[in-house]
Amino acid sequence: MREDLRTVERVRETTGGRMVIMVDATQAQSSGNWQPGVQWDYKRAYDTAVQLERLGVYWLEEPLARYDFARVAELNRAVQIPLAGGENNRGLHEFREMCTPNVYDVLQPEPLVMEGLTGLRKVGLLEEAFGKRIVPHHGGGNIGTVATLYLVASWPHAPYWDVLHDPPVAPYENRFAIFTQPPKVGKDGLVKVPEGPGLGVEIDPGMILPG
Ligand SMILES: [Mg+2]
């Protein structure tokens, strides 16, 4: 835990308050008992959440197991920092169960996991009705990510657009290289929604491997 908190402190020091910081505990990656890396129990999740709150972190993501809805809701009642999660949850019914009781404050439905963009649109309406925030996850990184941009831009309860960006190994530009004129994220973290027909992006045929 000390090492985790030190990491967040170093990010804060380096960015000098210019960036909003979210922390992902990735405790809901496994659907069962097995979990890669360090496995958190309730106390570890609670103690970490309290410290992250002190550091001004925007959200704590996936603090406990994927289907441990009751305990996540218990943690949510006990701490002030918003809890986020749901990137591995499937179907509208799971998101409905996460709204009552109050499991997460910010839902992160992933269209690759839960019935595509049609499912994502339904969850968007559900979360708006429950007064929650939504920040869709998109692990695909290219066309689907642009599709989520349109939904995020149209949802008053979607404060962020989530893009996989891990420079220098995997900057988001790599997966967007499939487009002739890819959307660009500015230095301020803002992005302009493409205005062309359809999704507003065109695929460069030269980037498609012959079948
Ligand atoms: Mg995550």
Side-chain angles (χ1 to χ4, degrees), residues 80-179:
Q80 294 297 313
I81 186 173
L83 301 184
E87 70 177 67
N88 285 305
N89 287 96
R90 302 174 69 94
L92 197 56
H93 60 287
E94 285 190 20
F95 285 86
R96 188 188 61 208
E97 283 175 36
M98 285 189 280
C99 289
T100 51
N102 186 33
V103 174
Y104 293 120
D105 303 290
V106 186
L107 279 300
Q108 304 171 291
E110 160 64 82
L112 291 172
V113 173
M114 55 147 312
E115 297 147 9
L117 292 164
T118 304
L120 180 58
R121 286 179 60 238
K122 292 176 189 171
V123 172
L125 288 174
L126 180 74
E127 304 311 337
E128 185 175 15
F130 276 91
K132 297 190 171 295
R133 284 167 277 173
I134 183 168
V135 179
H137 187 270
H138 203 289
N142 45 53
I143 302 171
T145 304
V146 174
T148 64
L149 172 59
Y150 278 87
L151 289 172
V152 165
S154 71
W155 283 334
H157 56 313
Y160 288 100
W161 180 47
D162 188 8
V163 177
L164 298 181
H165 182 53
D166 295 306
V169 178
Y172 82 94
E173 289 94 339
N174 286 5
R175 284 175 170 176
F176 277 18
I178 195 172
F179 304 127

Side-chain angles (χ1 to χ4, degrees), residues 24 29 61-62 87 137:
D24 191 350
Q29 293 298 298
E61 180 174 337
E62 290 192 354
E87 70 177 67
H137 187 270

